[in-house]
Amino acid sequence: MEKLIIQGGTSLKGSLEISGSKNSSLPILAGMLLCEGKTTVANLPHLQDVTTSLELLGSLGVELSIDENRYVEADTRTVHSLATPPELVGKMRASILVLGPMLSRFGEATVSFPGGCAIGNRPIDLHIAGMESLGAEIIIEDGFIKASRKGRLRGATIILPFPSVGATENIIMAATLAEGTTRIKNCALEPEIIDLIKCLNAWGANISGAGTSSIVVQGVKKMDGGFFRVMSDRIETATYLAAAAATGGKIRTMRADPSNISAVLEKFRKTGGDLTFGVDWIELDMRGKRPKAVNITTGPYPCFPTDMQAQFTVVNSLAIGIAQVTETIFENRLAQVQELRCMGAKIALNNNVAVITGVPKLTGTHVMASDLRASAALVIAGVAAEGETTIDEIHHVDRGYECFEEKLHQLGAKITRLPS
Ligand code: UD1
């Protein structure tokens, strides 16, 4: 497994371009299965999870082509399989997002239980219950979900007990080709869901209520497809701003929409840095100073995103003062704490609450990446720390950050990737 070696003690400075959103790309790629005509998607990030999604579509028989601008075109007329290979599904939890589109368009789908980051028990009961509400028959057998329908799926009112991002997306996609109207209540509000709805509507769906807790899908008989450009990645944006906050640096993120990360920007402002932004850029200037400690509690959008919790734990580890970080979305998402302690962070952990007493410096050592966002957090810690940090199992970071090392180099970081 590859590792990263970081020579730390660098205050990051400069500007960089933010890539397309991972969490928007994955449902949109699954949504290609709904369209009879060709679909083209632009601004897909070059990431392991996107590659896995494309392999998954290819394994079903979707004909894919990628041009020099990295526009991905899909033609689903060649689909010959309605069973996904478990080895691909096992790589990524978002693989479950093909369930709704396959079932709705082709009448059946066999998908194994998905894998992904080891951040706790991540059930898919809400996805399955949603499909059943739309009239699907679901059999769970030998680790596989076998879904089928007789006739078209039928519109229904579905009240989600929790605003799950993936379940909202899967149900929306299943409902696009259902007969009649589907109302999804208490749905997730994440900007990536708005992006998915814009995309599906551009391709022929009839969905309203994007960005509200009540989405209405008026089923259509078919979707023709077309073109869509994926939004920029708000978690990537905020990760680089966290790198500025932790290293006393000054970073400007370009092609980054500040309106999607208001809760995070509010916290960056509280660290004491100068935060400025325009329509599609954000700058954080720490003026060489340590951040002030800031309490964080994660929650569904528009609250503070769980995907930024690990990175902010690093900011707080180097802050002036004491902060409490509370994780409410996933049950096992503070894996970075143990590694940060090895680097000299003072963190007391009580279940999903970390109490962090900021220290003036971290010290480089040998640590292990455990999941996507925890890996990004360790990289930020390594760049800020004195001395050399080695991060094992760095492949996790490739699932979610396009050209991570190159972009950090551009900002002055000293990072090398080594095969182990
Ligand atoms: C998505 C994001 C992920 C982010 C998460 C929360 C993608 C590809 N991934 O993941 O980066 O961290 O939202 O913002 O967009 N749950 C159930 N039953 C279900 C579904 C979910 O109990 O059927 C629980 C999960 O275990 C978890 C919580 O709901 O505790 C949130 O999960 P969900 O919103 O579904 O996250 P994902 O869509 O997996």
Side-chain angles (χ1 to χ4, degrees):
M1 289 293 170
E2 292 179 328
K3 57 178 80 174
L4 280 188
I5 313 280
I6 306 173
Q7 305 299 333
T10 311
S11 181
L12 296 182
K13 292 195 174 63
S15 68
L16 77 156
E17 287 228 333
I18 297 303
S19 301
S21 160
K22 170 179 90 74
N23 286 354
S24 180
S25 299
L26 303 182
I28 284 173
L29 287 171
M32 285 174 146
L33 287 165
L34 291 163
C35 298
E36 287 180 20
K38 288 185 178 172
T39 45
T40 306
V41 180
N43 204 30
L44 286 172
H46 188 52
L47 297 173
Q48 187 54 51
D49 277 9
V50 168
T51 306
T52 303
S53 292
L54 293 173
E55 283 173 3
L56 198 58
L57 292 176
S59 75
L60 303 174
V62 177
E63 205 171 281
L64 294 160
S65 59
I66 303 177
D67 73 10
E68 68 279 8
N69 296 317
R70 294 222 323 242
Y71 286 20
V72 172
E73 187 183 79
D75 185 343
T76 58
R77 285 172 301 186
T78 45
V79 166
H80 53 68
S81 167
L82 297 175
T84 56
E87 62 278 13
L88 287 177
V89 178
K91 285 188 184 173
M92 180 182 77
R93 177 175 164 85
S95 310
I96 190 66
L97 294 174
V98 298
L99 183 70
M102 283 167 72
L103 175 66
S104 198
R105 165 97 188 277
F106 300 105
E108 62 176 81
T110 299
V111 184
S112 54
F113 275 85
C117 280
I119 54 177
N121 182 23
R122 295 176 81 180
I124 48 166
D125 53 319
L126 304 179
H127 299 244
I128 291 172
M131 301 302 135
E132 286 176 332
S133 301
L134 296 173
E137 187 184 330
I138 309 267
I139 298 169
I140 295 176
E141 211 169 52
D142 304 327
F144 287 89
I145 305 148
K146 296 177 180 172
S148 60
R149 60 170 165 81
K150 292 193 181 74
R152 281 170 76 190
L153 293 175
R154 288 182 306 280
T157 295
I158 297 169
I159 304 170
L160 288 173
F162 176 83
S164 152
V165 174
T168 302
E169 293 166 342
N170 226 342
I171 296 168
I172 289 172
M173 290 193 281
T176 52
L177 296 176
E179 196 173 343
T181 307
T182 300
R183 290 186 172 79
I184 313 166
K185 298 194 185 285
N186 193 32
C187 57
L189 308 175
E190 267 69 1
E192 292 77 12
I193 293 176
I194 301 177
D195 213 37
L196 172 66
I197 292 175
K198 280 186 194 161
C199 171
L200 296 175
N201 282 342
W203 290 351
N206 183 354
I207 307 165
S208 54
T212 75
S213 60
S214 184
I215 286 171
V216 180
V217 186
Q218 189 64 56
V220 295
K221 284 212 170 100
K222 72 180 182 71
M223 288 168 60
D224 289 330
F227 175 82
F228 192 73
R229 185 177 178 82
V230 171
M231 65 185 268
S232 64
D233 197 309
R234 66 192 170 103
I235 303 300
E236 187 196 15
T237 303
T239 298
Y240 286 105
L241 296 177
T247 63
K250 178 181 177 184
I251 292 180
R252 180 179 284 222
T253 55
M254 312 296 289
R255 299 205 317 147
D257 181 351
S259 68
N260 286 333
I261 46 169
S262 301
V264 186
L265 294 185
E266 187 52 35
K267 298 295 180 184
F268 280 124
R269 194 170 282 118
K270 288 188 174 161
T271 63
D274 292 336
L275 186 75
T276 45
F277 52 81
V279 186
D280 63 352
W281 61 269
I282 308 169
E283 184 176 285
L284 182 64
D285 182 0
M286 297 304 289
R287 287 172 280 112
K289 295 194 184 134
R290 280 172 70 195
K292 291 181 199 150
V294 182
N295 291 335
I296 301 290
T297 300
T298 64
Y301 192 86
C303 297
F304 190 92
T306 174
D307 285 352
M308 276 305 298
Q309 177 262 105
Q311 302 87 318
F312 239 91
T313 301
V314 177
V315 175
N316 277 321
S317 296
L318 286 157
I320 299 168
I322 299 176
Q324 185 166 300
V325 170
T326 308
E327 170 60 46
T328 72
I329 303 292
F330 292 109
E331 57 190 24
N332 185 22
R333 208 176 197 182
L334 284 153
Q336 73 282 1
V337 165
Q338 185 50 36
E339 304 304 298
L340 291 173
R341 281 178 181 151
C342 297
M343 299 177 77
K346 279 179 70 181
I347 308 177
L349 197 55
N350 185 1
N351 296 321
N352 275 343
V353 179
V355 178
I356 306 164
T357 305
V359 294
K361 68 175 178 72
L362 295 175
T363 309
T365 185
H366 202 132
V367 290
M368 167 119 76
S370 55
D371 65 67
L372 168 57
R373 305 302 170 186
S375 320
L378 292 179
V379 174
I380 295 172
V383 172
E386 274 186 9
E388 182 175 287
T389 298
T390 302
I391 309 177
D392 280 339
E393 306 279 348
I394 200 61
H395 60 96
H396 291 290
V397 95
D398 301 328
R399 293 191 41 215
Y401 292 91
E402 182 174 61
C403 302
F404 202 29
E405 289 116 272
E406 287 85 343
K407 289 186 182 184
L408 286 166
H409 276 154
Q410 208 177 309
L411 301 170
K414 299 181 190 78
I415 302 187
T416 318
R417 186 178 288 236
L418 291 183
S420 50

